[in-house]
Amino acid sequence: MSESAVEWPAVGLTLRVDGHEYPVPQVWIGDSLLAVLRERLDLDEPRDGCSIGECGSCLVTLDGRPAAACLVPAVAAADRDVRTPQDAAFEAAREAVVAANASPCGFCAPALTVAITDLLRRNADPGPAAIREALAGLVCRCAESGRWIEAVARAKEAGVGDGGTRGPAGGDSGEMAVLVIEAGETES
Amino acid sequence: MTEPKFPADLRAEGMLWMGVRRSPHASAAIRGLDMRAARAVPGVHAVLSAADLPGYNFHGPRSIDQPVLAADVARYIGEPVAVVAAEHPALARRAAERVRVIWDPLRPLHDPDQASTAPPIHPDGNVLHTTTLAFGADPATLADPASAESAGRKVVRGEYVFDGLDARPAAPAVVIAVPNGERGIEIYVATVSPRGDREVVAQCLGLPVEKVHVIPTRVGGADTHREDVGLQVQAALLALATGRPVKAVVPRDAPAHPGRPAASLRYRHVVGEDGALVAVEADILLDGGAYASTTIDILEEACRLAVGPYRVPNVRVTGRVVRTNNPPAGRVRGGGGALTCAAYEAQMDAAGSAVGLGGLEVRLRNLLRPGDLMPDASDPLGKPAAAPVPIPDCLHEILDTPMPSFPPGPDIREYPGTVGRTGELTRIRRGVGVALGMADLSNPTQLGEYATAVVLVSMTPDGPAATVACSAVETGSGLHDLIRTTVERTLGVPPERVAVRAPEDPGSLPSSTAVTHPAWVHGSAVEAAAKQVRAKLFRPLAEQIGIDGGLLKVIDGYLVSHDDVFHLPLDDAYRQCLPPGRVVRGDGEFRMLAMPALTGTSDSASVAVGAVRAVVDVDTELGLVNVVQVAIAQDAGRVAVRDRAVHRVASGAVAGVGFVLSEGSDLPFGWGEPSTMDAPEVVVAALLETAEDAKEEIGPDGLPVAAPPLGGMKPVGDLSVMATPAAVLAAIRDAVGDPQGGSPLRLPLRPDRAWWVLELR
Ligand code: FES
Ligand code: FES
């Protein structure tokens, strides 16, 4: 084995992203799902705000559950259902975010669309406190939360979350939606 | 139209990643560097230090005192010492760790109070700047107990200490440098002043300016101040050394760009029995950190705004900004006025209770009126404030805003402490506080600002369309919307048919140095260009009625002459004057003179004022605060895009809440900003449009320049940042039953410092 392979263990893996299969060769085993999505698959969304699980910018869903992609090892995401903010499932929420001018600089918009969609899937009619709680894990320096609440209202009007299947009905349980991290099992 | 990309989203073929070896010491001499182990890491293409920099190793917006890479001494924790380029970020990190530095740790200077007397930590010395502004009698003699008591005056002292604040945007600091053969080096960065950056980078790299191209990308963070230029030089240096593109990302645990300086302010207010302010004395000390950056401007601003929107006959303000071994500080939203406002408003409350009139009454009795003096050093007599100062209107608006209901709940998430479920209804007290604030628009230390713009108009099947080429960078604050609105107002082209793009090669254009007043400077350049188009385009019509093309205006879908005699539907005018295929071009420039030049031409200061009411719930035992509502009314001069302006004001209020309650540069990753759980409901009760028509004058070089009050434009983003902390503070005092104020106070009042509750009670 060459010296660099010892210092630099890498594996090939297949990611399922937004319904497409991507074989990715030579992924360093320390790389996060976020790093591979952005740097290897050239996706601008999710964003990378901190790489350490603090800001929520990298929100994706993993088998339908929200996850901070920077905290998920890429190898642990192999063969699972990864949905980025660019997935069609988040389209309606994205339009609501734009219409409410809820992300003036646009950096936090992708994570916001995922978080809003997830919230409405869990809770078809969230009140302001539930909305504030669900979005509390997202760092944004430029918006004011009134716009975010408005974006949720618009998304709801547009039917986001209708027929949502996940979670207990009326799940306004105080569950933090944003930073639910699931590493999952790796296939061996 | 594809969205422009953030720098982090740019990738290039063969791109390498930058790693940085940073100082673990706040103060240490560098006795030697050993790069061999770092170079041996696989995938590493370059490891460089200050010795490899071909040009000048120093930069800085004011004094050129900050090294690109520390050479002989490191002055703060996290200061870059060596940089590496490697094929993967993790390899770059690993190689950076393996750069061996032989450190000789020195005793660090952290306390700004000791900076003036401590041995210098930089060849330029420890005192970065001092200033004294004074007029009238010396407040010290008026505050002398013997004379003050005999005259029935009260003396109110206060001490206010502010932690530093790292208000970094959500988007990380990223630069990509791409070597491009003969053309030189291209640098992609979220900057709003490509022209200024370019000159610094060229000088540090020892390259002619034409070989450096700074290309602004999309900017995250809705603010005008971004990455320090040192990062651009570091990335470019590696790119030139390796011949490959290099991406530099500042990790969240490293100091990325200057935050607001830590400060301590000492005040003495002398107030007469009738509540009239007799004298104000203020002493302001800022911790500039290791390098000067823009802290000198912040100090000047803080001193000019030390008294607030009040008339005071005798003023003495002394200010100092010093160098320490803390990370460099600089301007963030709100600037120096955000520091003084919380302090002078607490003083006004204290003065109000000292004379038994209450804070609001004392404020009203002392309101600044046009012609009253500002504490301005450039003229020993002070500078009178120009009209208008519509504080009473602002006060009415906020006091008329409906109050949120009390008690909060039953949803526990509405209590202080939210989901922590720690707030107890029995311990919750509600408080209401009001604060006034003032921003001064003619800062004497202001540098000149300049912008150019080109407007092209042509006919499309949908009607006339315009393209604007200008160097205004959209950061999310709505600058491009403002530009579209400006074109619509001047030419009647609807905003959806106005495209705003960067000039072809912003690096080579005399584009703009505009950073502090981007809306005003760029907006005016675009307006000038659009007016030129209008005059050229409709000249045939003007000639028919025998007037100059410049006298035609667009009003409500009509082309109208200055005397209102000529009226033509705009559609007809365009049909007659703009056949398909014709393109009409207009060029515009705008210059704001450096303020010393402006103050020479005008003897009045232009101010923007506002009022904020905060409503808080406090758990009086745990020190948990929930800011329920913030209502703001302010003088906005001239509002171009109302929705954007409202948003800007509201987000400033949220930033203000963070400033007074939760932020602090000691927090990991610089994030103590209020989350959606902590952010209040924000009511923008009024944006008063006080400006008459934009005033413009022609400068000595024939360019239009602005005279105070700044062509009617007033920055709307800063006032809420300044005055919200003061209002929240007053509301907290109200809740815990300490209306006097004026006691020593350390901000922010974070829950992990809940002792403040005990101190206030
Ligand atoms: S990038 Fe910040 S949480 Fe993942
Ligand atoms: S809009 Fe800028 S980070 Fe949210």
Side-chain angles (χ1 to χ4, degrees), chain A residues 7 42 44 49 132-133, chain B residues 5 11 94 252 413 676 679:
Chain A
E7 283 217 35
D42 206 8
D44 296 345
R132 284 173 180 272
E133 182 179 4
Chain B
K5 288 181 178 249
R11 284 158 206 104
R94 183 183 300 176
R252 280 290 162 178
R413 289 172 291 199
T676 43

Side-chain angles (χ1 to χ4, degrees), chain A residues 4 7-8 28 31 38-39 42-44 47-50 52 54-55 101 104-107 129-133 135-136 138-145 147-148 172 174, chain B residues 5-6 8-9 11 17 88 90-91 94 166-172 218 220-222 247 252 411 413 419 475-476 643 647 650-651 663 669-671 673 675-677 679:
Chain A
S4 83
E7 283 217 35
W8 194 249
W28 176 48
D31 261 335
R38 289 178 53 83
E39 304 304 334
D42 206 8
L43 300 173
D44 296 345
R47 308 252 197 248
D48 183 355
C50 69
I52 48 174
E54 284 282 328
C55 72
N101 188 13
C105 88
F107 186 79
I131 295 174
R132 284 173 180 272
E133 182 179 4
L135 304 181
L138 303 180
V139 164
C140 167
R141 275 276 171 195
C142 1
E144 175 261 315
S145 25
R147 304 286 175 126
W148 285 18
D172 180 12
Chain B
K5 288 181 178 249
F6 290 107
D9 300 335
R11 284 158 206 104
W17 294 79
H88 187 281
L91 291 172
R94 183 183 300 176
D166 178 358
R168 63 176 77 179
R218 186 169 181 191
K247 189 173 200 169
R252 280 290 162 178
D411 193 321
R413 289 172 291 199
V419 278
T475 64
D643 184 60
H647 199 162
S651 69
E663 301 216 29
F669 324 119
W671 288 331
E673 63 141 19
S675 76
T676 43
M677 298 287 294

Side-chain angles (χ1 to χ4, degrees), chain A residues 34 47-58 68-71 179:
Chain A
L34 179 64
R47 308 252 197 248
D48 183 355
C50 69
S51 314
I52 48 174
E54 284 282 328
C55 72
S57 310
C58 61
C70 68
L71 293 183
L179 292 178

Side-chain angles (χ1 to χ4, degrees), chain B residues 466-494:
Chain B
T467 303
V468 181
C470 67
S471 58
V473 178
E474 175 58 80
T475 64
S477 64
L479 193 50
H480 284 187
D481 275 0
L482 179 134
I483 284 168
R484 287 189 196 95
T485 312
T486 303
V487 172
E488 181 187 27
R489 254 199 340 247
T490 316
L491 287 165
V493 178

Side-chain angles (χ1 to χ4, degrees), chain B residues 54-67:
Chain B
Y56 192 56
N57 189 23
F58 295 90
H59 66 95
R62 286 292 179 160
S63 40
I64 318 285
D65 65 345
Q66 178 163 7

Side-chain angles (χ1 to χ4, degrees), chain B residues 206-228:
Chain B
L207 287 177
V209 189
E210 315 80 69
K211 292 282 183 199
V212 177
H213 307 271
V214 175
I215 298 144
T217 62
R218 186 169 181 191
V219 183
D223 215 337
T224 50
H225 297 263
R226 289 290 296 178
E227 275 65 285
D228 103 53

